[in-house]
PDB file of all heavy atoms in Angstrom:
ATOM      1  N   GLY A  28      49.975 176.228 178.210  1.00 72.00           N
ATOM      2  CA  GLY A  28      51.080 177.184 178.013  1.00 72.00           C
ATOM      3  C   GLY A  28      52.220 176.572 177.250  1.00 72.00           C
ATOM      4  O   GLY A  28      52.808 177.195 176.346  1.00 72.00           O
ATOM      5  N   THR A  29      52.559 175.315 177.598  1.00 77.00           N
ATOM      6  CA  THR A  29      53.625 174.611 176.869  1.00 77.00           C
ATOM      7  C   THR A  29      53.228 174.372 175.427  1.00 77.00           C
ATOM      8  O   THR A  29      54.042 174.555 174.494  1.00 77.00           O
ATOM      9  CB  THR A  29      53.935 173.276 177.567  1.00 77.00           C
ATOM     10  OG1 THR A  29      54.325 173.503 178.919  1.00 77.00           O
ATOM     11  CG2 THR A  29      55.049 172.537 176.826  1.00 77.00           C
ATOM     12  N   ALA A  30      51.979 173.972 175.207  1.00 82.00           N
ATOM     13  CA  ALA A  30      51.499 173.699 173.853  1.00 82.00           C
ATOM     14  C   ALA A  30      51.528 174.949 172.979  1.00 82.00           C
ATOM     15  O   ALA A  30      51.929 174.910 171.822  1.00 82.00           O
ATOM     16  CB  ALA A  30      50.100 173.092 173.890  1.00 82.00           C
ATOM     17  N   ILE A  31      51.102 176.080 173.555  1.00 79.00           N
ATOM     18  CA  ILE A  31      51.096 177.330 172.792  1.00 79.00           C
ATOM     19  C   ILE A  31      52.530 177.760 172.479  1.00 79.00           C
ATOM     20  O   ILE A  31      52.809 178.247 171.374  1.00 79.00           O
ATOM     21  CB  ILE A  31      50.346 178.432 173.562  1.00 79.00           C
ATOM     22  CG1 ILE A  31      48.844 178.127 173.580  1.00 79.00           C
ATOM     23  CG2 ILE A  31      50.583 179.803 172.943  1.00 79.00           C
ATOM     24  CD1 ILE A  31      48.018 179.108 174.351  1.00 79.00           C
ATOM     25  N   SER A  32      53.448 177.564 173.423  1.00 79.00           N
ATOM     26  CA  SER A  32      54.838 177.908 173.165  1.00 79.00           C
ATOM     27  C   SER A  32      55.418 177.035 172.041  1.00 79.00           C
ATOM     28  O   SER A  32      56.140 177.532 171.171  1.00 79.00           O
ATOM     29  CB  SER A  32      55.680 177.745 174.439  1.00 79.00           C
ATOM     30  OG  SER A  32      55.295 178.673 175.424  1.00 79.00           O
ATOM     31  N   LEU A  33      55.097 175.734 172.061  1.00 81.00           N
ATOM     32  CA  LEU A  33      55.548 174.854 170.993  1.00 81.00           C
ATOM     33  C   LEU A  33      54.915 175.222 169.656  1.00 81.00           C
ATOM     34  O   LEU A  33      55.563 175.172 168.612  1.00 81.00           O
ATOM     35  CB  LEU A  33      55.248 173.401 171.336  1.00 81.00           C
ATOM     36  CG  LEU A  33      56.046 172.802 172.499  1.00 81.00           C
ATOM     37  CD1 LEU A  33      55.511 171.445 172.894  1.00 81.00           C
ATOM     38  CD2 LEU A  33      57.529 172.711 172.126  1.00 81.00           C
ATOM     39  N   TRP A  34      53.631 175.589 169.700  1.00 81.00           N
ATOM     40  CA  TRP A  34      52.930 176.046 168.489  1.00 81.00           C
ATOM     41  C   TRP A  34      53.624 177.288 167.929  1.00 81.00           C
ATOM     42  O   TRP A  34      53.854 177.392 166.719  1.00 81.00           O
ATOM     43  CB  TRP A  34      51.474 176.330 168.806  1.00 81.00           C
ATOM     44  CG  TRP A  34      50.709 176.962 167.694  1.00 81.00           C
ATOM     45  CD1 TRP A  34      50.045 176.341 166.693  1.00 81.00           C
ATOM     46  CD2 TRP A  34      50.503 178.363 167.481  1.00 81.00           C
ATOM     47  NE1 TRP A  34      49.451 177.242 165.857  1.00 81.00           N
ATOM     48  CE2 TRP A  34      49.712 178.504 166.322  1.00 81.00           C
ATOM     49  CE3 TRP A  34      50.909 179.511 168.148  1.00 81.00           C
ATOM     50  CZ2 TRP A  34      49.326 179.738 165.819  1.00 81.00           C
ATOM     51  CZ3 TRP A  34      50.532 180.750 167.662  1.00 81.00           C
ATOM     52  CH2 TRP A  34      49.730 180.852 166.505  1.00 81.00           C
ATOM     53  N   ALA A  35      53.931 178.235 168.813  1.00 79.00           N
ATOM     54  CA  ALA A  35      54.602 179.446 168.365  1.00 79.00           C
ATOM     55  C   ALA A  35      56.011 179.151 167.842  1.00 79.00           C
ATOM     56  O   ALA A  35      56.460 179.757 166.862  1.00 79.00           O
ATOM     57  CB  ALA A  35      54.682 180.453 169.526  1.00 79.00           C
ATOM     58  N   PHE A  36      56.681 178.199 168.483  1.00 79.00           N
ATOM     59  CA  PHE A  36      58.018 177.812 168.014  1.00 79.00           C
ATOM     60  C   PHE A  36      57.930 177.263 166.599  1.00 79.00           C
ATOM     61  O   PHE A  36      58.778 177.564 165.732  1.00 79.00           O
ATOM     62  CB  PHE A  36      58.622 176.773 168.955  1.00 79.00           C
ATOM     63  CG  PHE A  36      59.974 176.276 168.507  1.00 79.00           C
ATOM     64  CD1 PHE A  36      61.105 177.021 168.753  1.00 79.00           C
ATOM     65  CD2 PHE A  36      60.103 175.073 167.839  1.00 79.00           C
ATOM     66  CE1 PHE A  36      62.360 176.570 168.357  1.00 79.00           C
ATOM     67  CE2 PHE A  36      61.341 174.605 167.428  1.00 79.00           C
ATOM     68  CZ  PHE A  36      62.466 175.363 167.696  1.00 79.00           C
ATOM     69  N   CYS A  37      56.907 176.437 166.318  1.00 79.00           N
ATOM     70  CA  CYS A  37      56.731 175.908 164.975  1.00 79.00           C
ATOM     71  C   CYS A  37      56.424 177.020 163.985  1.00 79.00           C
ATOM     72  O   CYS A  37      56.955 177.049 162.863  1.00 79.00           O
ATOM     73  CB  CYS A  37      55.616 174.866 164.949  1.00 79.00           C
ATOM     74  SG  CYS A  37      56.026 173.323 165.804  1.00 79.00           S
ATOM     75  N   ALA A  38      55.545 177.936 164.392  1.00 75.00           N
ATOM     76  CA  ALA A  38      55.162 179.028 163.505  1.00 75.00           C
ATOM     77  C   ALA A  38      56.365 179.877 163.117  1.00 75.00           C
ATOM     78  O   ALA A  38      56.578 180.176 161.937  1.00 75.00           O
ATOM     79  CB  ALA A  38      54.083 179.879 164.153  1.00 75.00           C
ATOM     80  N   PHE A  39      57.147 180.248 164.109  1.00 73.00           N
ATOM     81  CA  PHE A  39      58.256 181.145 163.851  1.00 73.00           C
ATOM     82  C   PHE A  39      59.510 180.392 163.418  1.00 73.00           C
ATOM     83  O   PHE A  39      60.356 180.946 162.718  1.00 73.00           O
ATOM     84  CB  PHE A  39      58.524 182.018 165.079  1.00 73.00           C
ATOM     85  CG  PHE A  39      57.315 182.809 165.495  1.00 73.00           C
ATOM     86  CD1 PHE A  39      56.836 182.740 166.775  1.00 73.00           C
ATOM     87  CD2 PHE A  39      56.649 183.612 164.590  1.00 73.00           C
ATOM     88  CE1 PHE A  39      55.709 183.455 167.167  1.00 73.00           C
ATOM     89  CE2 PHE A  39      55.519 184.314 164.955  1.00 73.00           C
ATOM     90  CZ  PHE A  39      55.040 184.244 166.245  1.00 73.00           C
ATOM     91  N   GLY A  40      59.607 179.121 163.845  1.00 72.00           N
ATOM     92  CA  GLY A  40      60.692 178.300 163.308  1.00 72.00           C
ATOM     93  C   GLY A  40      60.522 178.057 161.820  1.00 72.00           C
ATOM     94  O   GLY A  40      61.491 177.986 161.066  1.00 72.00           O
ATOM     95  N   GLY A  41      59.250 177.957 161.385  1.00 72.00           N
ATOM     96  CA  GLY A  41      58.979 177.856 159.955  1.00 72.00           C
ATOM     97  C   GLY A  41      59.440 179.083 159.208  1.00 72.00           C
ATOM     98  O   GLY A  41      59.864 179.001 158.046  1.00 72.00           O
ATOM     99  N   THR A  42      59.308 180.234 159.868  1.00 67.00           N
ATOM    100  CA  THR A  42      59.807 181.470 159.248  1.00 67.00           C
ATOM    101  C   THR A  42      61.317 181.402 159.036  1.00 67.00           C
ATOM    102  O   THR A  42      61.840 181.938 158.051  1.00 67.00           O
ATOM    103  CB  THR A  42      59.475 182.666 160.162  1.00 67.00           C
ATOM    104  OG1 THR A  42      58.057 182.688 160.412  1.00 67.00           O
ATOM    105  CG2 THR A  42      59.872 183.985 159.502  1.00 67.00           C
ATOM    106  N   ALA A  43      62.009 180.734 159.967  1.00 67.00           N
ATOM    107  CA  ALA A  43      63.466 180.584 159.788  1.00 67.00           C
ATOM    108  C   ALA A  43      63.785 179.571 158.696  1.00 67.00           C
ATOM    109  O   ALA A  43      64.722 179.759 157.901  1.00 67.00           O
ATOM    110  CB  ALA A  43      64.097 180.129 161.120  1.00 67.00           C
ATOM    111  N   LEU A  44      63.049 178.459 158.659  1.00 72.00           N
ATOM    112  CA  LEU A  44      63.330 177.422 157.677  1.00 72.00           C
ATOM    113  C   LEU A  44      62.861 177.803 156.289  1.00 72.00           C
ATOM    114  O   LEU A  44      63.417 177.327 155.282  1.00 72.00           O
ATOM    115  CB  LEU A  44      62.663 176.112 158.091  1.00 72.00           C
ATOM    116  CG  LEU A  44      63.241 175.410 159.324  1.00 72.00           C
ATOM    117  CD1 LEU A  44      62.400 174.199 159.683  1.00 72.00           C
ATOM    118  CD2 LEU A  44      64.682 175.010 159.088  1.00 72.00           C
ATOM    119  N   GLY A  45      61.837 178.645 156.205  1.00 71.00           N
ATOM    120  CA  GLY A  45      61.294 179.044 154.889  1.00 71.00           C
ATOM    121  C   GLY A  45      62.346 179.594 153.940  1.00 71.00           C
ATOM    122  O   GLY A  45      62.478 179.107 152.822  1.00 71.00           O
ATOM    123  N   PRO A  46      63.115 180.628 154.375  1.00 69.00           N
ATOM    124  CA  PRO A  46      64.138 181.140 153.481  1.00 69.00           C
ATOM    125  C   PRO A  46      65.230 180.130 153.139  1.00 69.00           C
ATOM    126  O   PRO A  46      65.756 180.112 152.026  1.00 69.00           O
ATOM    127  CB  PRO A  46      64.729 182.318 154.261  1.00 69.00           C
ATOM    128  CG  PRO A  46      63.652 182.721 155.208  1.00 69.00           C
ATOM    129  CD  PRO A  46      62.963 181.438 155.574  1.00 69.00           C
ATOM    130  N   VAL A  47      65.562 179.251 154.116  1.00 73.00           N
ATOM    131  CA  VAL A  47      66.603 178.276 153.869  1.00 73.00           C
ATOM    132  C   VAL A  47      66.165 177.253 152.815  1.00 73.00           C
ATOM    133  O   VAL A  47      66.850 177.028 151.807  1.00 73.00           O
ATOM    134  CB  VAL A  47      66.993 177.557 155.178  1.00 73.00           C
ATOM    135  CG1 VAL A  47      68.021 176.467 154.901  1.00 73.00           C
ATOM    136  CG2 VAL A  47      67.534 178.545 156.187  1.00 73.00           C
ATOM    137  N   VAL A  48      64.983 176.669 153.059  1.00 76.00           N
ATOM    138  CA  VAL A  48      64.462 175.673 152.123  1.00 76.00           C
ATOM    139  C   VAL A  48      64.143 176.328 150.782  1.00 76.00           C
ATOM    140  O   VAL A  48      64.430 175.790 149.697  1.00 76.00           O
ATOM    141  CB  VAL A  48      63.219 174.970 152.706  1.00 76.00           C
ATOM    142  CG1 VAL A  48      62.639 173.983 151.706  1.00 76.00           C
ATOM    143  CG2 VAL A  48      63.571 174.273 154.006  1.00 76.00           C
ATOM    144  N   GLY A  49      63.538 177.528 150.846  1.00 76.00           N
ATOM    145  CA  GLY A  49      63.215 178.232 149.606  1.00 76.00           C
ATOM    146  C   GLY A  49      64.460 178.586 148.812  1.00 76.00           C
ATOM    147  O   GLY A  49      64.474 178.483 147.574  1.00 76.00           O
ATOM    148  N   GLY A  50      65.518 178.991 149.504  1.00 76.00           N
ATOM    149  CA  GLY A  50      66.766 179.307 148.808  1.00 76.00           C
ATOM    150  C   GLY A  50      67.380 178.108 148.115  1.00 76.00           C
ATOM    151  O   GLY A  50      67.874 178.196 146.993  1.00 76.00           O
ATOM    152  N   ILE A  51      67.333 176.962 148.792  1.00 78.00           N
ATOM    153  CA  ILE A  51      67.850 175.728 148.172  1.00 78.00           C
ATOM    154  C   ILE A  51      67.037 175.362 146.931  1.00 78.00           C
ATOM    155  O   ILE A  51      67.586 174.981 145.892  1.00 78.00           O
ATOM    156  CB  ILE A  51      67.845 174.579 149.201  1.00 78.00           C
ATOM    157  CG1 ILE A  51      68.831 174.884 150.336  1.00 78.00           C
ATOM    158  CG2 ILE A  51      68.190 173.261 148.532  1.00 78.00           C
ATOM    159  CD1 ILE A  51      68.785 173.894 151.483  1.00 78.00           C
ATOM    160  N   LEU A  52      65.711 175.462 147.038  1.00 79.00           N
ATOM    161  CA  LEU A  52      64.852 175.154 145.902  1.00 79.00           C
ATOM    162  C   LEU A  52      65.143 176.090 144.722  1.00 79.00           C
ATOM    163  O   LEU A  52      65.230 175.659 143.576  1.00 79.00           O
ATOM    164  CB  LEU A  52      63.396 175.220 146.301  1.00 79.00           C
ATOM    165  CG  LEU A  52      62.881 174.113 147.224  1.00 79.00           C
ATOM    166  CD1 LEU A  52      61.447 174.399 147.644  1.00 79.00           C
ATOM    167  CD2 LEU A  52      62.961 172.754 146.526  1.00 79.00           C
ATOM    168  N   LEU A  53      65.276 177.389 145.028  1.00 79.00           N
ATOM    169  CA  LEU A  53      65.522 178.357 143.963  1.00 79.00           C
ATOM    170  C   LEU A  53      66.899 178.173 143.332  1.00 79.00           C
ATOM    171  O   LEU A  53      67.116 178.566 142.184  1.00 79.00           O
ATOM    172  CB  LEU A  53      65.379 179.785 144.515  1.00 79.00           C
ATOM    173  CG  LEU A  53      63.961 180.222 144.896  1.00 79.00           C
ATOM    174  CD1 LEU A  53      63.991 181.545 145.628  1.00 79.00           C
ATOM    175  CD2 LEU A  53      63.088 180.317 143.649  1.00 79.00           C
ATOM    176  N   GLN A  54      67.807 177.596 144.087  1.00 78.00           N
ATOM    177  CA  GLN A  54      69.140 177.351 143.558  1.00 78.00           C
ATOM    178  C   GLN A  54      69.117 176.262 142.485  1.00 78.00           C
ATOM    179  O   GLN A  54      69.912 176.268 141.555  1.00 78.00           O
ATOM    180  CB  GLN A  54      70.085 176.948 144.688  1.00 78.00           C
ATOM    181  CG  GLN A  54      71.546 176.853 144.289  1.00 78.00           C
ATOM    182  CD  GLN A  54      72.161 178.226 144.085  1.00 78.00           C
ATOM    183  OE1 GLN A  54      71.611 179.239 144.490  1.00 78.00           O
ATOM    184  NE2 GLN A  54      73.332 178.258 143.448  1.00 78.00           N
ATOM    185  N   HIS A  55      68.138 175.326 142.606  1.00 82.00           N
ATOM    186  CA  HIS A  55      68.121 174.157 141.724  1.00 82.00           C
ATOM    187  C   HIS A  55      66.867 174.095 140.844  1.00 82.00           C
ATOM    188  O   HIS A  55      66.871 173.356 139.840  1.00 82.00           O
ATOM    189  CB  HIS A  55      68.222 172.882 142.545  1.00 82.00           C
ATOM    190  CG  HIS A  55      69.488 172.774 143.366  1.00 82.00           C
ATOM    191  ND1 HIS A  55      70.700 172.434 142.828  1.00 82.00           N
ATOM    192  CD2 HIS A  55      69.714 172.993 144.697  1.00 82.00           C
ATOM    193  CE1 HIS A  55      71.627 172.423 143.772  1.00 82.00           C
ATOM    194  NE2 HIS A  55      71.048 172.757 144.912  1.00 82.00           N
ATOM    195  N   PHE A  56      65.817 174.801 141.200  1.00 85.00           N
ATOM    196  CA  PHE A  56      64.571 174.726 140.432  1.00 85.00           C
ATOM    197  C   PHE A  56      64.054 176.132 140.132  1.00 85.00           C
ATOM    198  O   PHE A  56      64.681 177.111 140.508  1.00 85.00           O
ATOM    199  CB  PHE A  56      63.516 173.910 141.208  1.00 85.00           C
ATOM    200  CG  PHE A  56      63.976 172.539 141.595  1.00 85.00           C
ATOM    201  CD1 PHE A  56      64.405 172.277 142.896  1.00 85.00           C
ATOM    202  CD2 PHE A  56      63.995 171.489 140.685  1.00 85.00           C
ATOM    203  CE1 PHE A  56      64.837 171.018 143.257  1.00 85.00           C
ATOM    204  CE2 PHE A  56      64.404 170.231 141.041  1.00 85.00           C
ATOM    205  CZ  PHE A  56      64.829 169.989 142.331  1.00 85.00           C
ATOM    206  N   TRP A  57      62.884 176.174 139.485  1.00 84.00           N
ATOM    207  CA  TRP A  57      62.299 177.472 139.126  1.00 84.00           C
ATOM    208  C   TRP A  57      61.542 178.042 140.318  1.00 84.00           C
ATOM    209  O   TRP A  57      61.299 177.357 141.324  1.00 84.00           O
ATOM    210  CB  TRP A  57      61.441 177.327 137.884  1.00 84.00           C
ATOM    211  CG  TRP A  57      59.980 177.012 138.069  1.00 84.00           C
ATOM    212  CD1 TRP A  57      58.936 177.799 137.715  1.00 84.00           C
ATOM    213  CD2 TRP A  57      59.391 175.831 138.637  1.00 84.00           C
ATOM    214  NE1 TRP A  57      57.744 177.208 138.018  1.00 84.00           N
ATOM    215  CE2 TRP A  57      57.993 175.983 138.564  1.00 84.00           C
ATOM    216  CE3 TRP A  57      59.894 174.654 139.178  1.00 84.00           C
ATOM    217  CZ2 TRP A  57      57.091 175.017 139.041  1.00 84.00           C
ATOM    218  CZ3 TRP A  57      59.022 173.686 139.660  1.00 84.00           C
ATOM    219  CH2 TRP A  57      57.663 173.871 139.572  1.00 84.00           C
ATOM    220  N   TRP A  58      61.145 179.316 140.215  1.00 84.00           N
ATOM    221  CA  TRP A  58      60.550 180.011 141.367  1.00 84.00           C
ATOM    222  C   TRP A  58      59.261 179.340 141.850  1.00 84.00           C
ATOM    223  O   TRP A  58      58.924 179.442 143.031  1.00 84.00           O
ATOM    224  CB  TRP A  58      60.273 181.462 141.003  1.00 84.00           C
ATOM    225  CG  TRP A  58      59.382 181.674 139.797  1.00 84.00           C
ATOM    226  CD1 TRP A  58      59.801 181.932 138.523  1.00 84.00           C
ATOM    227  CD2 TRP A  58      57.953 181.635 139.756  1.00 84.00           C
ATOM    228  NE1 TRP A  58      58.702 182.058 137.693  1.00 84.00           N
ATOM    229  CE2 TRP A  58      57.568 181.883 138.438  1.00 84.00           C
ATOM    230  CE3 TRP A  58      56.970 181.431 140.709  1.00 84.00           C
ATOM    231  CZ2 TRP A  58      56.237 181.909 138.040  1.00 84.00           C
ATOM    232  CZ3 TRP A  58      55.641 181.459 140.315  1.00 84.00           C
ATOM    233  CH2 TRP A  58      55.278 181.697 139.004  1.00 84.00           C
TER     234      TRP A  58
END
């Protein structure tokens, strides 16, 4: 149960980091 919760946290935490990291990249590099 703990492992699945951590797995889900990574999956959905990546959803949060994706726009942030992607936005920084798009600010300085091409799409």
